[in-house]
């Protein structure tokens, strides 16, 4: 396994093509806006080298028999699924941000089982290729961006019926040694910090969408791949040199629009090409794993937010008020409910035909449906407890100013024993998590990441088995009986 520092160096050596604020950059490692997001991924390496976290952060590879980072693992049991959620909570607690490496892990497990079943039906050879690819990922301890979401254009039209054929990523040419693909993937978490990108289709497809049913992996710096980094609220504060104003200066997350401009993929890296009947399975399995993931990562970040709200109350002397205590209880209740869902869908996990473990789909979708709501309520309560100062506090420069600084120190102090600076730090952390750069990962991503709410309701409707419930009610009501 790589150390965190080796990981950073490995990313620095890559020739990524990235654009931000109209300028070209080549690495996140030396960029003040992107570096905190790299640090969050680095934490997945650093934590894996801590002996006290070895049980959660590492696993024994089913492919090589060696010790690997759990983020590269093919889950072998329900216990592995539970440990995955616990690992994500730990990483969320450590970074208070999106640590990005889960999308690859979730893609590995979905592609692993889907290629097996596809080969069985169609006689294709994808599974063996994918296992070979996973061996490399595990041995080199790589970060892989799992790329699913196409831009999608007109939502009322299927991939092949779009006015612009590139709005879903597709095969443009087949050669004896591989395929040429074109298109884009949107909202790509962690792509600037990834060694590789594993592309999957984004919807279930019909036979005429054949060119769009494609799954493959390429290095993130492959010829023709480039990324346009997304803006985040308050992102340029990181350029101002104030640690205090940023709120979470060490860690962050990142997303980008990734363009695949006629990218060549050699055959050994193609894991689906035209098998439209397996596109839906791959999407559903990946989404299921990622909806489970949110029962871990969001909970860990939620732990930090609850702590920040409690600290805010300590700072202004309100901690003993019964309504504050009650709000903290409510936040904890909501956060632990999310965790319960993440653990439950893992406990109910089952073996797939390929031998890896898949979460319970109904419970994972219930997990994510709750995630589309509860972090918003936790955020509302955190803002309630923090007070308006979280959005009205002056800058660090004013606080350090020799003439006006002492006034800020005097008038923005809460309880006498807590330095004003500490109170301001807590305010900025609440701001960062609810409105700032980390709000991308904690708030809006809770709504749309791993699929928007309606996507979960479709699975809940199908898996909820209303007909069976009607039968239960009929029997108790003695309908059809004398
Ligand atoms: Fe992992 Fe959560 Fe970020 Fe998704 S949102 S990559 S599950 S930390
Ligand atoms: Fe996500």
């Amino acid at each position: 396994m790589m150390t965190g520092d080796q990981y950073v160096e490995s990313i620095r050596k890559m020739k990524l093509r990235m654009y931000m604020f109209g300028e070209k950059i080549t690495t996140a490692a030396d960029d003040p806006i992107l570096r905190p997001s790299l640090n969050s991924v680095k934490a997945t390496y650093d934590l894996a080298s801590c002996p006290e976290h070895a049980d959660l952060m590492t696993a024994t590879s089913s492919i090589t028999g060696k010790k690997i980072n759990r983020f590269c693992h093919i889950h072998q049991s329900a216990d592995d699924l539970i440990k995955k959620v616990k690992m994500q909570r730990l990483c969320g607690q450590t970074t208070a941000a999106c640590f990005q490496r889960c999308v690859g892990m979730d893609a590995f497990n979905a592609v692993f089982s889907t290629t097996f079943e596809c080969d069985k039906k169609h006689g294709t050879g994808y599974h063996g290729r994918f296992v070979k690819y996973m061996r490399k990922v595990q041995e080199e301890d790589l970060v892989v961006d799992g790329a699913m979401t196409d831009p999608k254009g007109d939502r009322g039209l299927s991939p092949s019926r779009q006015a612009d054929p590139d709005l879903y990523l597709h095969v443009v040419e087949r050669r004896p040694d591989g395929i040429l693909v074109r298109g884009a993937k949107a909202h790509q978490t962690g792509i600037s910090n990834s060694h590789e990108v594993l592309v999957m289709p984004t919807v279930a497809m019909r036979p005429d969408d054949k060119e769009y049913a494609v799954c493959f992996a390429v290095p993130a710096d492959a010829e023709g791949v480039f990324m346009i980094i997304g803006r985040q609220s308050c992102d340029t504060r990181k350029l101002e040199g104030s640690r205090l104003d940023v709120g979470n200066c060490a860690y962050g997350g990142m997303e980008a629009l990734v363009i695949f401009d006629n990218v060549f993929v050699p055959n050994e890296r193609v894991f689906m090409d035209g098998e439209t009947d397996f596109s839906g399975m791959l999407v559903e399995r990946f989404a299921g794993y990622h909806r489970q993931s949110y029962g871990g990562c969001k909970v860990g970040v939620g732990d930090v937010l609850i702590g920040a709200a409690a600290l805010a109350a300590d700072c202004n002397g309100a901690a003993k008020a019964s309504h504050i205590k009650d709000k903290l209880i409510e936040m904890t209740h909501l956060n632990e409910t999310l965790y319960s869902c993440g653990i439950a869908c893992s406990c109910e996990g089952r073996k797939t035909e390929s031998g890896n473990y898949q979460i319970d789909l109904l419970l994972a979708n219930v997990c994510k449906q709750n995630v589309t709501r509860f972090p918003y309520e936790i955020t509302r309560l955190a803002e309630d407890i923090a007070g308006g100062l979280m959005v009205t506090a002056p800058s660090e420069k004013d606080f350090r100013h020799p003439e006006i600084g002492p006034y800020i120190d005097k008038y923005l102090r809460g309880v006498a024993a807590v330095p004003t600076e500490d109170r301001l730090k807590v305010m900025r952390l609440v701001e960062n998590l609810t409105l700032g750069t980390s709000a991308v990962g904690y708030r809006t991503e809770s709504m749309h990441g791993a699929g928007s709410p309606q996507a979960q309701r479709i699975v809940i409707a199908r898996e909820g088995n209303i007909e069976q419930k009607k039968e239960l009610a009929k029997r108790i009501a003695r309908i059809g009986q004398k």
Side-chain angles (χ1 to χ4, degrees):
M1 296 189 299
M2 273 198 273
T3 65
D5 290 329
Q6 286 168 339
Y7 159 68
V8 171
E9 284 319 302
S10 70
I11 291 292
R12 192 179 262 120
K13 277 195 209 120
M14 293 183 73
K15 301 263 179 293
L16 293 171
R17 212 175 128 199
M18 301 188 275
Y19 296 87
M20 187 167 61
F21 298 117
E23 285 178 14
K24 202 169 169 190
I25 35 176
T26 48
T27 180
D30 304 314
D31 184 88
I33 288 187
L34 291 177
R35 178 61 200 235
S37 74
L38 184 73
N39 290 344
S40 297
V41 185
K42 179 175 179 284
T44 69
Y45 289 88
D46 290 335
L47 287 168
S49 55
C50 296
E52 68 267 36
H53 299 310
D55 186 43
L56 291 187
M57 297 297 306
T58 65
T60 302
S61 166
S62 55
I63 299 168
T64 65
K66 291 182 195 155
K67 185 176 164 181
I68 54 167
N69 191 302
R70 187 174 294 281
F71 279 98
C72 299
H73 191 43
I74 300 294
H75 314 303
Q76 297 300 302
S77 62
D79 192 48
D80 269 349
L81 295 170
I82 294 168
K83 282 182 177 159
K84 172 196 158 185
V85 171
K86 292 187 175 184
M87 167 180 76
Q88 289 167 313
R89 186 172 189 169
L90 172 69
C91 293
Q93 289 171 339
T94 306
T95 61
C98 167
F99 37 90
Q100 306 146 54
R101 209 173 166 184
C102 330
V103 276
M105 166 176 56
D106 292 341
F108 299 152
N109 279 277
V111 175
F112 186 87
S113 63
T114 305
T115 50
F116 185 90
E117 289 176 45
C118 179
D119 285 359
K120 201 171 130 192
K121 182 173 173 195
H122 293 295
T124 42
Y126 298 132
H127 188 70
R129 283 181 189 172
F130 186 68
V131 171
K132 205 167 155 211
Y133 177 71
M134 279 311 300
R135 179 181 287 270
K136 170 186 167 70
V137 168
Q138 293 182 345
E139 289 193 331
E140 297 177 24
D141 200 5
L142 300 178
V143 177
V144 179
D145 169 45
M148 180 162 277
T149 310
D150 292 82
K152 298 200 286 270
D154 183 337
R155 272 59 173 172
L157 297 174
S158 67
S160 55
R161 303 254 159 94
Q162 297 286 328
D164 181 340
D166 300 340
L167 289 172
Y168 286 78
L169 192 144
H170 61 114
V171 178
V172 287
E173 193 186 326
R174 289 193 177 79
R175 299 173 183 170
D177 53 344
I179 55 173
L180 201 68
V181 297
R182 185 164 66 231
K185 292 288 180 181
H187 326 295
Q188 285 313 297
T189 298
I191 182 73
S192 65
N193 307 319
S194 298
H195 303 101
E196 293 264 330
V197 51
L198 174 53
V199 168
M200 299 163 281
T202 200
V203 285
M205 291 185 192
R206 292 194 289 251
D208 51 357
D209 294 325
K210 199 165 179 282
E211 312 307 320
Y212 295 85
V214 61
C215 172
F216 62 86
V218 286
D221 57 0
E223 181 78 31
V225 175
F226 64 96
M227 47 202 89
I228 308 165
I229 310 291
R231 289 219 65 171
Q232 295 176 337
S233 177
C234 309
D235 48 9
T236 48
R237 279 195 201 180
K238 293 175 188 165
L239 301 174
E240 295 169 2
S242 165
R243 293 161 77 97
L244 196 159
D245 289 354
V246 173
N248 179 359
C249 58
Y251 301 106
M254 67 73 58
E255 275 79 22
L257 175 65
V258 185
I259 316 291
F260 295 78
D261 189 18
N262 295 323
V263 175
F264 177 72
V265 188
N267 283 332
E268 66 269 22
R269 281 169 163 267
V270 177
F271 312 124
M272 177 187 285
D273 179 13
E275 292 76 15
T276 48
D277 49 341
F278 282 88
S279 180
M281 178 189 284
L282 182 51
V283 173
E284 186 169 88
R285 290 186 179 179
F286 171 76
Y289 282 123
H290 211 51
R291 290 168 193 172
Q292 169 212 26
S293 287
Y294 280 29
C297 80
K298 302 292 180 247
V299 179
V301 180
D303 287 328
V304 178
L305 184 55
I306 295 167
L311 283 175
D314 288 346
C315 290
N316 66 12
K320 290 203 174 72
S322 62
H323 73 98
I324 297 289
K325 284 186 196 160
D326 194 54
K327 281 164 190 159
L328 291 170
I329 292 167
E330 179 65 9
M331 293 165 85
T332 305
H333 159 70
L334 292 169
N335 207 39
E336 298 301 334
T337 303
L338 297 180
Y339 185 55
S340 305
C341 293
I343 294 295
C345 69
S346 307
C347 291
E348 293 285 303
R350 278 179 214 97
K351 203 175 191 172
T352 68
E353 287 183 40
S354 68
N356 75 341
Y357 270 65
Q358 175 77 34
I359 44 71
D360 181 272
L361 265 185
L362 175 60
L363 297 184
N365 278 273
V366 168
C367 178
K368 173 68 212 320
Q369 184 80 179
N370 283 334
V371 172
T372 66
R373 301 170 181 175
F374 296 177
Y376 284 83
E377 181 63 4
I378 293 169
T379 293
R380 189 183 74 78
L381 291 166
E383 291 188 15
D384 180 348
I385 295 173
L389 188 61
M390 61 169 271
V391 287
T392 63
S395 70
E396 181 174 9
K397 272 191 184 148
D398 291 320
F399 183 64
R400 308 269 178 231
H401 192 279
E403 287 161 31
I404 55 176
Y407 289 98
I408 296 172
D409 192 30
K410 173 183 167 74
Y411 287 112
L412 294 187
R413 187 168 295 240
V415 297
V418 177
T420 305
E421 182 169 349
D422 288 356
R423 189 175 178 217
L424 292 174
K425 282 181 179 170
V426 171
M427 291 296 133
R428 289 299 179 207
L429 176 55
V430 176
E431 183 197 26
N432 174 268
L433 288 167
T434 58
L435 304 167
T437 50
S438 291
V440 178
Y442 188 64
R443 258 180 91 128
T444 314
E445 196 183 36
S446 288
M447 181 69 79
H448 293 294
S452 305
Q454 187 57 21
Q456 290 110 56
R457 298 185 85 77
I458 290 166
V459 182
I460 292 169
R462 196 192 64 213
E463 299 282 320
N465 205 347
I466 296 293
E467 288 309 314
Q468 184 231 0
K469 292 179 172 66
K470 273 159 63 176
E471 289 308 314
L472 296 174
K474 275 189 198 166
R475 191 175 61 80
I476 298 293
R478 303 183 62 79
I479 289 172
Q481 296 175 37
K482 289 261 162 82

